[in-house]
Amino acid sequence: MNGNPLPTLIITCLLACMACFSILLGEGNVLANLFLYLMIGGSVLAFASPRAGFLLCLISSGYVDLVKRLMIVSDRVQMIDLYYILGFPPVVFMVSILALMVRGFSGTVKVQRWHVVMWGMACFISVANGALSLVGAEGGFGRAVQDMANGAYSMMLFAMPLLYARPDDALKIFRILLWIYLPVAMYAIAQGLWGFRDFEILYLQSGYTIEIKQLLTDRVRAFSTLNSPTSLGAMSAAMMVLPWMLWRSVRTNGRRHLSFMEVLLFTPLFAGALLASTSRSAFVIVIVCIVGSLCFRSRLGTRLFYGFAVLSFAGLIASATYLQDRLEDTTESLIAMAGSRVSEDALNVNTFSDRLQGFAMVLSNPEAYTWTGYGPERGTDPSDPLYNHDLLSNILVRYGAVALAIAVLLGVTFLTFGHRQLLAIQDLRQRRIGAMMLALVCGMVAISITSGNVLNIFPVNILFWIAAAAAVIAVRHQPMGNKEQPKASMTPQMHPPMYPMSYHGTPAAGYRPLHPSQRALSRPHFPKA
C-alpha cells in the first residue's frame, strides 16, 4: 500500500506519450484515434466504477454526433472511424453492466431474483432487435450490430436499480440529464435563428447522413448536436416537461428535486429547441406526460386515460382519409392567422400526411392484413401503396398480423402489470414518482404509434429506458417505514411479583402497595407480625 509510486508513474507517462504520438502521427482520423483511446480509458473507468461509467455514457450521448460531424470535415475518414466515435457510449455502458455482473457473482452487489429477470428481458430485447434487423433487406450485419447496441440500452432495467436503489436517487439522474442537454438546446436555438455553419453544410454533403435532404428545402430543421431533427424534437419535448415533474415531486426530507428558478431556466430553452426542430408530433410527449402523471395515481384516472386514448386512436384511424384531404387547407388557414415565416414552419401540418397515409392505407386496409407480412423491404418507399410511418403499420406490413397481435398483447400485459404494481404502492409520494416515470414511457410509446418509431433512435432510447427503470425502482423500493417491524404482544408479560405472596397466591396480609419508583429505590416492605 505504501510502496514506491515512481514505477507506476513512469509507466503511466510512457503510455500517455505513446497514445499522443499515435493520435497525432498515426494514420487515419485524429478524432477517431483519440476516441479509440478514450474508449479504452472509459472502459477501464467503467469497470472500476460502474456508476462513473454510467454517467460517462450519459454525458457522451448528447455530443458524440457532433464529434462525428467534426471528424467528417477532415479529408481522412473511413467507416471504421465512425465506429470509434459512435461506439463510445454503448461500449462504456456495456462494460459498466459487465462490472455489475461480476460484482453480483462475487457477492459485492446484492442481486435479487427480479434483477435477474430484468437482465434476461433486456438480453431478449437486444437479441430480438439484432435478429429483426439481420432479416431485413438493408443494412446487413453492420446494421444488425447497431440495432443490437440500441436495444442493449434496455439493460438500464438491470443496472439502474443496482446503482440507484431509491426513487430519489433515480430522479437525480434526470436532473443531471437536464444540465447535460442544456447546451444541446441552446445550440438548437442558435441553428434555428442563424442557420447551419460551414462545417455542418460539409457534413450534410458528405453522404454519411440522411439529413442531406435538408439541402433540398428552403427551411432549416435544427438537429443541434444530435443525429436528426426527430431525435432533437423527442428529447426536447421530454426535457421540456421533466422540470415540471421534478419540481412537483418532493424528496423524503421535504425538499423538491428541482427549484423553481431551474424550472424557469430549463422549460423555455427546451421549448425553443422543440420549435427549432419543427417536430410538431413531439408535442404528443408533452401532452401524454402531463395528463398521464396526473391520471396514473388512481385506478379511475388510469381507466379514463386509456379509454380516452383508445377511442381517440380509433377515431383517428376512421377519419384518416378525411383529415388527409384537408391538411393543405388547414395549413393555409393557420399560416394566414400567424402571418410570419417562423410560424409558417412551425404550423405546417402537411407533414402529417405520411402518418395519416399509414392509418388510411394500412391499418384500415384489409389487404394489408396477412399472417406473416410482406417482408422488411415493404412500406419504406413513398410510392409503395403500403407506405407507412408509424410503428403499428410498420409491424403489420413487414411481419404480419401475428407479429402485430403479439406486440399488442405484450404491450397490454406489461402496462397492466405495471399499473397494478404502481397502484399497490402505499406511499403516495413514491406512487407519484412512479406515475410520472410511467407517463414519460407512455408518451414515447404514443409518439411511436402515431408519428413514427423513436424507441430505437439514439439517444431517445436511452431516455426511454432510464424512465422505465426509474418506474421499476419506484415500484420495487420498500421505504424503511413500510418494512415489517416486530409486533408487540397483546398478552401481558408475567413478571416476578414485587411484593410478598401468601400460600394461596394472594398478597400477604397487611401489604400496602408501593409506587413503582418506590419499589425500585426502597427496600421490600414486609408486614408486621
Side-chain angles (χ1 to χ4, degrees):
M1 296 295 294
N2 297 323
N4 187 7
L6 185 59
T8 304
L9 182 61
I10 293 175
I11 294 175
T12 303
C13 292
L14 290 176
L15 291 176
C17 291
M18 290 176 58
C20 290
F21 281 115
S22 177
I23 292 171
L24 297 176
L25 303 178
E27 297 182 356
N29 191 271
V30 175
L31 284 176
N33 294 335
L34 173 62
F35 261 74
L36 174 61
Y37 287 100
L38 289 178
M39 186 185 300
I40 297 173
S43 299
V44 174
L45 175 64
F47 192 82
S49 175
R51 182 173 293 189
F54 178 76
L55 293 177
L56 187 60
C57 172
L58 296 185
I59 295 171
S60 62
S61 66
Y63 302 97
V64 289
D65 203 81
L66 176 62
V67 177
K68 182 188 77 172
R69 210 172 301 163
L70 295 171
M71 177 191 68
I72 290 177
V73 175
S74 173
D75 57 350
R76 295 184 299 175
V77 179
Q78 300 177 0
M79 186 59 66
I80 190 66
D81 296 333
L82 298 179
Y83 290 112
Y84 293 154
I85 303 293
L86 301 181
F88 180 81
V91 167
V92 172
F93 177 69
M94 292 311 298
V95 171
S96 299
I97 299 298
L98 178 62
L100 287 174
M101 293 171 60
V102 171
R103 284 163 171 76
F105 283 121
S106 63
T108 307
V109 175
K110 184 179 180 181
V111 178
Q112 301 179 16
R113 181 178 299 177
W114 67 271
H115 292 112
V116 180
V117 172
M118 293 294 150
W119 179 84
M121 186 186 304
C123 289
F124 173 78
I125 292 172
S126 179
V127 173
N129 257 15
L132 292 176
S133 178
L134 196 60
V135 173
E138 299 178 357
F141 182 75
R143 180 60 182 270
V145 172
Q146 180 181 350
D147 287 344
M148 283 189 66
N150 286 329
Y153 290 112
S154 58
M155 281 289 178
M156 296 284 183
L157 298 173
F158 167 76
M160 277 192 59
L162 294 176
L163 296 175
Y164 307 95
R166 298 184 306 164
D168 287 346
D169 296 334
L171 289 186
K172 291 179 182 178
I173 295 298
F174 293 98
R175 189 171 186 269
I176 294 173
L177 277 173
L178 287 172
W179 285 106
I180 290 175
Y181 279 85
L182 183 63
V184 178
M186 298 171 66
Y187 191 61
I189 295 174
Q191 278 186 340
L193 293 176
W194 297 296
F196 298 130
R197 306 278 76 80
D198 292 339
F199 77 93
E200 291 168 334
I201 299 295
L202 292 174
Y203 166 71
L204 295 176
Q205 295 173 343
S206 65
Y208 288 97
T209 174
I210 63 172
E211 293 304 317
I212 189 175
K213 59 188 177 182
Q214 293 211 45
L215 299 177
L216 306 177
T217 62
D218 57 349
R219 61 172 179 163
V220 173
R221 295 195 65 192
F223 51 90
S224 187
T225 62
L226 305 184
N227 50 30
S228 67
T230 302
S231 58
L232 175 64
M235 292 297 293
S236 299
M239 296 292 180
M240 175 183 168
V241 74
L242 267 176
W244 177 80
M245 289 181 168
L246 297 180
W247 181 71
R248 291 282 298 171
S249 60
V250 181
R251 299 190 183 111
T252 52
N253 58 8
R255 298 181 58 187
R256 297 185 184 273
H257 284 91
L258 205 68
S259 66
F260 188 69
M261 293 301 297
E262 288 175 310
V263 175
L264 295 179
L265 171 66
F266 290 126
T267 304
L269 289 176
F270 284 110
L274 177 57
L275 293 176
S277 70
T278 67
S279 179
R280 289 155 297 278
S281 57
F283 282 98
V284 174
I285 297 178
V286 178
I287 297 173
V288 173
C289 285
I290 294 177
V291 177
S293 61
L294 297 176
C295 292
F296 291 165
R297 303 175 191 177
S298 64
R299 183 171 284 102
L300 177 61
T302 302
R303 291 174 178 173
L304 290 176
F305 177 87
Y306 285 106
F308 181 77
V310 171
L311 291 176
S312 300
F313 187 65
L316 181 62
I317 295 175
S319 60
T321 304
Y322 174 84
L323 295 174
Q324 191 177 19
D325 295 338
R326 285 159 178 78
L327 284 179
E328 188 173 352
D329 296 337
T330 304
T331 300
E332 292 179 357
S333 301
L334 292 174
I335 292 175
M337 292 170 55
S340 67
R341 189 178 184 280
V342 175
S343 298
E344 177 180 345
D345 292 338
L347 299 176
N348 183 9
V349 295
N350 285 321
T351 54
F352 287 104
S353 178
D354 294 340
R355 283 79 166 170
L356 294 175
Q357 183 176 352
F359 298 145
M361 304 301 294
V362 177
L363 293 181
S364 57
N365 184 6
E367 296 182 359
Y369 288 83
T370 60
W371 290 109
T372 57
Y374 292 99
E377 70 278 0
R378 288 298 303 271
T380 58
D381 188 358
S383 61
D384 190 344
L386 296 180
Y387 175 70
N388 59 84
H389 206 277
D390 62 281
L391 180 61
L392 298 182
S393 300
N394 190 283
I395 296 175
L396 177 62
V397 171
R398 294 188 174 191
Y399 308 108
V402 175
L404 178 61
I406 293 175
V408 172
L409 182 61
L410 288 176
V412 171
T413 301
F414 283 126
L415 284 176
T416 303
F417 177 78
H419 282 289
R420 284 180 178 175
Q421 296 294 319
L422 177 63
L423 294 174
I425 299 177
Q426 299 298 321
D427 187 357
L428 296 180
R429 186 192 66 86
Q430 192 167 320
R431 186 191 299 179
R432 182 180 295 127
I433 294 174
M436 291 187 300
M437 297 300 101
L438 192 56
L440 183 56
V441 170
C442 290
M444 293 188 177
V445 173
I447 190 178
S448 299
I449 292 176
T450 58
S451 304
N453 186 16
V454 299
L455 302 182
N456 214 29
I457 298 178
F458 181 86
V460 183
N461 51 0
I462 290 184
L463 182 59
F464 174 81
W465 290 115
I466 288 178
V472 171
I473 293 173
V475 169
R476 299 298 306 182
H477 177 70
Q478 297 294 332
M480 296 298 294
N482 292 347
K483 291 184 178 180
E484 266 191 4
Q485 300 290 342
K487 296 182 179 180
S489 176
M490 299 302 294
T491 57
Q493 300 291 331
M494 301 301 295
H495 297 284
M498 298 293 294
Y499 46 82
M501 305 291 292
S502 67
Y503 177 80
H504 300 287
T506 59
Y511 171 73
R512 185 175 60 187
L514 297 174
H515 193 271
S517 60
Q518 294 176 344
R519 293 178 191 155
L521 299 176
S522 61
R523 291 180 298 175
H525 176 74
F526 293 96
K528 297 179 181 180

